[in-house]
Structure formats: structure tokens, C-alpha cells
Amino acid sequence: MTTTVVPSPPERIDQFVDHWITDRPDQEFLVGPDRRLTYAEARVEVDACTAALAAVGVARGDRVGYLGDATIDFFIHFLAATSLGAIWVGLNPKYQAEELAHVISDATPSMIFIAADTTSLDGALATPTVNEAYGSAVPTIDLRRSGLRSWVDATDGTTDVDSLRAAVESTDGAFIVYTSGSTGRPKGAVLPHGGVNLSGVIGTIGRGFIDSRVICNLPINHVGAVSDICIRAMIGGGTIIMQDRFDPALMMRTVAEEQINLWGGVPTIFQICVAHPDFADADLSSVEHIAWGGAAMPFELIQQLLAKTGASRASTGYGSTETIGGVVFSGPDDSAELATTTVGFIADQTELRLVDDKGNDVAQGEQGEMLVRCDFLMKEYWNRPEATAAAIDSDGWYRTGDLLRQRDDGRYVFLGRNSDMFKSGGYNVYPREVEDCLEEHPAVAMAAVVGVPDELFQEVGHAHVVLSGDAAPDAIIEHVRSHLANYKVPKAVFVHEQLPMLAVGKVDKVALRATSAPGGQYG
């Protein structure tokens, strides 16, 4: 068996394909329901798409929108546009008109490629914000009937793109990812080629994403789909099986049919798969590594997954859109317990600090806001210099807004967002701590805690749970009361069949706060 050598970070993202053409041209790279492309075949399609984009006027620095799902065409289009130096913007078909209008009017793409049906785009393009941003109709190219390849074939793509590609520098923006906007209107983080490539190489090696066969079914407007799954799999010489939407039955069938060895995603995906009727009889024996990010994985859930698959490794990572993925991740020999209770060690070529609210470093073992400095941070927030300066100081430290503490063994524990923290009776309550305690109850499969206004205590915690067994709300509250201080104990428990989710797979705590109304079960 030959040893896979991960390439050094190149100037442009698409150049990873060239490395594997030399090493393994006939290996499958991109797999979809209608076709399967080797690395060599994918390079041909990327080059043809690049020439077509250049022919219709796409140039370095232009923003190019792509509204679609996780398909082969999405990644071909992404590699082609970024190879020209254009800044690619993924648009989610599930977005409402107002959400699409915000991204389009903010990024002002020179053209938008439409590859998926949505009822929101026409409404978005007709909004005052888009009309004001463009002053005329937004150029669109409809790919829904014929697909990307037919458009490429019908376009006079005779432009010599070699000189155009040669002008692209590693500091150029490659794509814009709009943050979730939990603390305001979403901001567009511009992620540069060099940072994406370096982060990808470090993460691919550090988390063992080498020679992997993975499924991509996350929204393409999220760093998880583009960078964490597709780019890392490409860097490690792997194969990406594209699925336009998440479907638990299809995902589990695909694991068996495509011999998936790296099963990755957000915890919600795994939760839904385990709860599905097909899980009991699914053949998941090809899975060697279960990897997740974006949220904490309940220990009971990972135990079920490891028992079912026989996987030898479970790992998590912590990072953000602005850090282009993980800056902390599990060690190669970490147990499932460590992977669910910590987010691991500092990544290579990364500096971290934990500071108090005055910017002073906290003592070992104390909680603090994590600051990150590395060569794979975002370039800027698009058109928001003040927000960029507030996020990254003059010494290059990025303020994550996340609270962590470092254990004596060097691993970090994620405590939650600064914005999630609430005060109850003058005490700080960190929802992640309470959620961990709730998920230790044998009947609680998943939990989310939010702070809501209270006349007496200023704020109190409301717990929203999904149950895997029988448990009365008062028994759940008593479980927390026996483990945590009284001010941390939720004052209400709401039981859900499924927690509301953002498009990126994280719990929608804004929606939970809105539903935390009278009628919950109080302790």
C-alpha cells in the first residue's frame, strides 16, 4: 500500500487537483447520481468552465453567485470561478427572499448562476435593497434545465485562461461565507486562497482526513460544505459523494453502497440517522472514523454510532467561519469520552489566548474568551472595515467571542458563546455547561438552553430537550439540581420531537427564545 503524501499549500485552491492528476489521475474524485468523475476528468470540466466564465466576462475580484445544492456542478463551478480570481458566493435555496436579498445586495455578484428551484429568488431580486444596489436587473444564468455542462458547451470558451490564472495571488479572496447573524445582520467573511489552503492541509493531516470517502450534503453557502468536507477531501486525495439534500435513509444507504470510511457532519445529522427506522438494519461497517463539528455531540449518541459502525476513531474540531475551520481538534488517540467533553488540542501553526473581559490573559484552568492568531484567518468582512477592525486587532489577534478553558492536559473545553451567556440573579450562566448536564440524563438525547427575561432574577434558563426515553420534566430538572448550583437549574423544560435548526445544522436558539413562552413545565 502506497503512502499518501498531502501536498504543500499551493497558490490557488484548484491546484490541488493538479497534484492528484500526477499521483492518481484515474481515481474517482466527484461522484453524483448522474455521473462519476476522476481527478483527470474533473480537471477537464473545471478548465472548460473556467474558459466559459472568462468568456462571459468574469474577472479577478468579481463576485459570482451560485444558487444550488451539494452537487458535482457546484464544486466544478467553485473551482473554476476561484481559479480566475473571482470571489465565489454560495446561495442557499432554502433561504427566504429577505435572506437572499441581504446577501445579494451586500456582495453584489456580477452574475448569479441558478442551479436549484426556489420560490425566494424572484422576490429577493425585486426588493428595494437589491434594486438600490444594482440600479438595474441582476444578471442571471439559469442552469436548472440543462445543467452546467450544457451551458459551458454552448458558451464560446476560447479564452486563454493561463495568464488570467497566473495573476491570482494567495491573498486574493476565494469565497465569501455569510455568518449566521445570531448577533445581528449576517456579515460576509472573505476567505483567501492561501488561508483556505493552509487551514485545509493542517486540518486534513491533523484529523486524519486522508484517502477518505465522504458524503457532502451540507448547504453550499457554509464553510462546512466547501472547506471542511470538499476541500479537505480533495487535499487528502479522497472521493466526495455529492447529495443535494440531507436524507437519512439515502445517507445510510450511500455509506454501504459507496463504502464511506469517513462519516462526517453535524451532530443533528447523526441524531436523525440514529432515530430513523432504517438505522437498525443499515450496513455501516465501512465507517472507520466518525467526525463532527459545529456543536457538541452527546456521549450516548457517539456510543451508539461507534457500536453500530465499529469505527476506531471519533473526533471533533472547533473553529469558526472566520478561522476557515478548525483551530482546535481532537488528538488521534482521543477516546469518545474525550471527544465529547473537550474540543481537543491547538492546531499546528496556531496561537491561542484566553482572556477576561479586560483583555488580560486568564490563569490556567480558568475560562476566558478565545483569541486566535494564525495565517489562515479571514481576509476581512466584506465592505465592513469597522467590523473587521473590531474583530482582528492590530497585532493580528481574532476575537472569537467564544468562551473556553484549558485543562491541565492541554485540551480545551468549549463553554459557549459570549452572546449565549446570561445572568440569573447576578450570576453568569453558560448554557453549554447546563446542556452537558441535561444530556447526561439517560432519557435526554439532545438539549439546548436559552436565557429568557424574568422579573425577579433578570434572566432564567429554559431548557428545550429531545427525549430518547420516558422522563417527566420535573425529573429532568431534579437531575440538573443534583449536579449544578441552583442558579444554573432551568426554570422550565420544553419537550420537542426535534429542535429547530439553522441551515448549517446548528440549533436555532433565536427560534427557541421565541417559543419559550408560558406553558412550559416549571420546576
Side-chain angles (χ1 to χ4, degrees), residues 62-233:
D62 287 351
R63 279 77 60 212
V64 177
Y66 186 95
L67 190 150
D69 296 307
T71 63
I72 289 178
D73 283 354
F74 127 69
F75 204 52
I76 293 291
H77 188 274
F78 169 84
L79 293 172
T82 55
S83 77
L84 280 174
I87 304 174
W88 192 86
V89 183
L91 300 173
N92 191 339
K94 291 184 178 180
Y95 271 0
Q96 297 299 317
E98 183 179 349
E99 296 171 298
L100 280 175
H102 171 69
V103 173
I104 292 169
S105 61
D106 189 67
T108 57
S110 61
M111 60 185 63
I112 298 174
F113 289 77
I114 307 169
D117 290 323
T118 175
T119 59
S120 301
L121 184 61
D122 288 343
L125 298 182
T127 59
T129 56
V130 172
N131 289 334
E132 183 179 337
Y134 281 88
S136 59
V138 181
T140 60
I141 295 175
D142 196 334
L143 305 176
R144 286 172 290 185
R145 286 189 177 182
S146 57
L148 180 65
R149 286 193 301 173
S150 294
W151 174 79
V152 169
D153 291 342
T155 304
D156 183 19
T158 57
T159 304
D160 179 7
V161 298
D162 288 345
S163 60
L164 300 177
R165 285 174 166 172
V168 179
E169 299 178 355
S170 63
T171 54
D172 287 355
F175 60 114
I176 298 177
V177 177
Y178 280 80
T179 60
S180 61
S182 60
T183 56
R185 297 287 281 176
K187 301 184 294 292
V190 182
L191 309 184
H193 283 264
V196 171
N197 293 344
L198 178 59
S199 171
V201 168
I202 291 173
T204 299
I205 296 172
R207 295 190 70 182
F209 292 177
I210 298 172
D211 292 327
S212 57
R213 295 183 65 84
V214 301
I215 296 171
C216 180
N217 52 22
L218 294 178
I220 65 166
N221 62 303
H222 188 244
V223 71
V226 180
S227 185
D228 292 349
I229 294 180
C230 292
I231 291 177
R232 282 187 184 175

Side-chain angles (χ1 to χ4, degrees), residues 193-503:
H193 283 264
V196 171
N197 293 344
L198 178 59
S199 171
V201 168
I202 291 173
T204 299
I205 296 172
R207 295 190 70 182
F209 292 177
I210 298 172
D211 292 327
S212 57
R213 295 183 65 84
V214 301
I215 296 171
C216 180
N217 52 22
L218 294 178
I220 65 166
N221 62 303
H222 188 244
V223 71
V226 180
S227 185
D228 292 349
I229 294 180
C230 292
I231 291 177
R232 282 187 184 175
M234 175 177 66
I235 290 171
T239 303
I240 309 163
I241 290 79
M242 297 289 189
Q243 294 180 345
D244 56 358
R245 303 286 175 93
F246 166 64
D247 176 282
L250 174 61
M251 191 175 201
M252 289 186 286
R253 287 199 307 272
T254 302
V255 169
E257 293 169 359
E258 295 291 346
Q259 291 295 284
I260 300 300
N261 58 13
L262 173 60
W263 195 6
V266 293
T268 311
I269 282 178
F270 296 111
Q271 182 75 42
I272 294 172
C273 286
V274 168
H276 194 276
D278 291 357
F279 182 74
D281 297 324
D283 179 6
L284 307 175
S285 59
S286 63
V287 177
E288 301 169 356
H289 185 174
I290 298 171
W292 68 93
M297 174 82 82
F299 181 60
E300 179 186 357
L301 179 57
I302 192 61
Q303 283 184 308
Q304 290 176 281
L305 291 165
L306 291 174
K308 178 66 175 176
T309 62
S312 60
R313 185 174 180 186
S315 73
T316 189
Y318 157 82
S320 66
T321 298
E322 290 85 349
T323 63
I324 321 179
V327 291
V328 178
F329 38 77
S330 301
D333 300 317
D334 279 4
S335 65
E337 181 180 7
L338 284 171
T340 54
T341 56
T342 79
V343 288
F345 299 98
I346 301 173
D348 288 345
Q349 302 184 46
T350 307
E351 297 177 84
L352 299 181
R353 293 172 58 202
L354 299 184
V355 301
D356 59 23
D357 54 6
K358 296 180 180 179
N360 299 316
D361 292 314
V362 302
Q364 172 70 31
E366 292 186 0
Q367 67 187 29
E369 180 186 0
M370 177 174 277
L371 274 57
V372 177
R373 184 165 65 183
C374 57
D375 289 331
F376 44 90
L377 291 177
M378 68 171 181
K379 183 182 179 74
E380 62 184 338
Y381 287 122
W382 181 253
N383 281 339
R384 284 171 170 77
E386 292 182 359
T388 304
I392 304 175
D393 69 20
S394 58
D395 293 324
W397 289 100
Y398 166 63
R399 300 194 61 167
T400 65
D402 292 335
L403 299 169
L404 293 90
R405 67 176 177 85
Q406 188 178 29
R407 304 188 342 167
D408 291 341
D409 62 8
R411 294 178 176 86
Y412 285 85
V413 177
F414 178 75
L415 301 174
R417 294 283 298 168
N418 247 335
S419 56
D420 286 341
M421 185 272 289
F422 60 92
K423 283 185 177 289
S424 187
Y427 292 96
N428 291 348
V429 179
Y430 298 94
R432 186 61 239 163
E433 179 186 19
V434 185
E435 291 160 1
D436 284 339
C437 184
L438 286 162
E439 289 170 355
E440 289 173 0
H441 189 289
V444 177
M446 184 173 291
V449 173
V450 295
V452 297
D454 182 82
E455 290 184 5
L456 179 60
F457 296 104
Q458 184 182 352
E459 287 182 290
V460 295
H462 281 191
H464 296 259
V465 301
V466 175
L467 298 180
S468 58
D470 294 330
D474 58 352
I476 294 172
I477 289 174
E478 284 306 313
H479 166 78
V480 179
R481 196 187 308 280
S482 67
H483 289 82
L484 298 178
N486 188 57
Y487 67 89
K488 300 177 183 179
V489 178
K491 297 301 185 288
V493 173
F494 296 81
V495 178
H496 302 255
E497 290 187 4
Q498 185 175 328
L499 297 178
M501 294 290 166
L502 297 167

